[in-house]
Amino acid sequence: ELTVENVRKCSRFHPRCGTSFLILMVLVGIFVGMLIPTSIPAVLRVVIRILCLPLIMGIGYELIKFAGRHDNIVTKIISAPGVWLQHLTVLEPDDSMIECAIESMKRVIPEDGSDRI
């Protein structure tokens, strides 16, 4: 049941949080950037990095999706930087915030259960 007490028991940290996605994008971008040779001109390196953005976003998306579906040591390693950053960016909600979130959820979840897969 959606009550403030029940919601309060849940963790504010999640491997698929937007904060985790952003830090993962930075890390994947650094890794992919390291694969671009430094012997080519700087302007060409910048163009190659820009062209690699869809690749970086795709890899990051798949990693975050994988981390959300599985719970093992690999996914804990993938999710760790994002969860660490969430300690700085995600604050504990007060009761009024939880009440607002509960009301929002009640308005978007159909009562007949038609949202079940």
Side-chain angles (χ1 to χ4, degrees):
E1 186 178 348
L2 285 176
T3 64
V4 174
E5 295 78 28
N6 288 341
V7 172
R8 210 145 299 269
K9 295 175 189 174
C10 299
S11 173
R12 65 182 179 172
F13 308 113
H14 194 274
R16 288 180 63 180
C17 175
T19 304
S20 294
F21 182 70
L22 289 175
I23 194 72
L24 195 56
M25 290 300 97
V26 170
L27 296 175
V28 171
I30 290 170
F31 178 75
V32 170
M34 288 177 8
L35 300 176
I36 300 171
T38 57
S39 59
I40 59 177
V43 173
L44 186 56
R45 275 198 317 265
V46 169
V47 170
I48 292 172
R49 283 180 187 232
I50 291 171
L51 292 174
C52 285
L53 279 176
L55 173 70
I56 293 167
M57 298 297 283
I59 292 170
Y61 173 76
E62 292 299 328
L63 286 173
I64 221 70
K65 196 165 87 170
F66 180 77
R69 289 187 177 164
H70 302 355
D71 187 25
N72 56 45
I73 189 69
V74 174
T75 58
K76 288 186 189 308
I77 292 170
I78 292 170
S79 300
V83 173
W84 294 335
L85 189 60
Q86 287 175 43
H87 281 84
L88 298 174
T89 60
V90 181
L91 301 175
E92 198 69 43
D94 61 26
D95 288 349
S96 67
M97 292 176 181
I98 295 174
E99 289 169 2
C100 179
I102 289 171
E103 186 59 34
S104 298
M105 287 298 293
K106 286 180 179 177
R107 291 180 185 227
V108 297
I109 297 176
E111 290 181 18
D112 63 359
S114 62
D115 64 327
R116 307 232 183 226
I117 295 176

